[in-house]
Amino acid sequence: QKEVEQDPGPLSVPEGAIVSLNCTYSNSAFQYFMWYRQYSRKGPELLMYTYSSGNKEDGRFTAQVDKSSKYISLFIRDSQPSDSATYLCAMSAHAGGTSYGKLTFGQGTILTVHP
Amino acid sequence: DSGVTQTPKHLITATGQRVTLRCSPRSGDLSVYWYQQSLDQGLQFLIQYYNGEERAKGNILERFSAQQFPDLHSELNLSSLELGDSALYFCASSVVGAGTGELFFGEGSRLTVL
């Protein structure tokens, strides 16, 4: 069983829809939770970052973390065709400053937003 | 543009061969990370260097090795290549200790082993 599970989709939605992306994890040591977006033929780029449980909002994006359920979500409101990409959840136990880059990624969900 | 440069972008080689992938981190970033992305395994952490020293190791095969040079660029060496090594290899850099989890990824080197 993988430490981080993410439904690979693909997910296809109409423009303007609310998109929900989710990951579950098994490692209780994970404290830092991130969402990366990866466009085709590009490297991942950080979208959202949260520490421990709670919600964080940034424009049309909201990240939620529920550590008790070992479940994280990313919501995209008013989705746009430019949001079409692969969304990767990532987590870190952050054992120390020199190892925080050791991220564990989900498989990624392929999202297509059609006009 | 993330500021991380990877070369070559594409590489096709045969089984048993050896290749070297090169990475130049963002200006000022002391940490370099290597990740492998494949369809079946997703994005997997291989190794991290900080200012020339190895700091963390993931599921990196013994046939693979890396180093970070005094000018902070890094190289990932893959030897005795197998078909299963075909993948996208990403380099990322960061300011260690920032705690934001933000890694800046290059555009990757796509390796095809025939």
Side-chain angles (χ1 to χ4, degrees):
Chain A
Q1 184 187 1
K2 294 185 177 181
E3 279 189 293
V4 180
E5 298 280 357
Q6 181 178 6
D7 186 343
L11 189 59
S12 181
V13 301
E15 183 174 356
I18 296 174
V19 176
S20 172
L21 305 168
N22 312 293
C23 288
T24 59
Y25 63 95
S26 58
N27 188 346
S28 300
F30 287 145
Q31 297 184 60
Y32 295 80
F33 305 91
M34 290 135 270
W35 286 93
Y36 278 77
R37 177 175 63 195
Q38 184 176 17
Y39 290 113
S40 182
R41 303 186 186 282
K42 298 290 186 181
E45 57 177 346
L46 182 68
L47 257 186
M48 299 283 288
Y49 161 84
T50 54
Y51 169 67
S52 198
S53 285
N55 293 358
K56 185 174 183 179
E57 191 172 317
D58 183 2
R60 296 184 295 110
F61 299 89
T62 299
Q64 288 185 352
V65 173
D66 182 349
K67 289 190 70 179
S68 63
S69 301
K70 295 189 177 67
Y71 187 86
I72 71 170
S73 301
L74 177 71
F75 297 95
I76 307 174
R77 291 183 299 280
D78 188 25
S79 56
Q80 303 295 309
S82 58
D83 295 328
S84 298
T86 298
Y87 289 80
L88 301 140
C89 62
M91 307 177 190
S92 170
H94 193 48
T98 59
S99 63
Y100 94 95
K102 188 176 179 179
L103 301 181
T104 302
F105 283 85
Q107 280 286 102
T109 300
I110 301 170
L111 171 68
T112 301
V113 181
H114 50 87
Chain B
D1 183 3
S2 67
V4 178
T5 304
Q6 289 188 247
T7 57
K9 290 193 186 302
H10 302 276
L11 194 54
I12 301 174
T13 188
T15 54
Q17 295 299 302
R18 173 190 169 95
V19 298
T20 298
L21 309 180
R22 194 179 192 279
C23 169
S24 294
R26 290 188 324 156
S27 177
D29 284 355
L30 298 179
S31 257
V32 168
Y33 312 82
W34 286 98
Y35 281 81
Q36 179 193 57
Q37 188 174 41
S38 60
L39 280 176
D40 55 342
Q41 295 293 324
L43 200 56
Q44 300 272 312
F45 171 74
L46 294 178
I47 198 164
Q48 175 197 357
Y49 280 83
Y50 174 76
N51 203 20
E53 294 185 5
E54 181 185 307
R55 283 302 173 91
K57 215 167 185 175
N59 297 323
I60 186 167
L61 299 172
E62 286 192 10
R63 301 182 286 107
F64 296 1
S65 65
Q67 56 184 325
Q68 186 180 26
F69 295 87
D71 67 353
L72 302 178
H73 91 272
S74 178
E75 292 181 356
L76 179 67
N77 300 296
L78 316 174
S79 62
S80 302
L81 286 168
E82 302 175 0
L83 296 178
D85 298 328
S86 295
L88 254 178
Y89 290 85
F90 283 105
C91 170
S93 73
S94 73
V95 177
V96 174
T100 64
E102 183 161 22
L103 301 188
F104 294 88
F105 284 82
E107 295 198 347
S109 292
R110 183 175 294 279
L111 173 65
T112 302
V113 182
L114 300 175

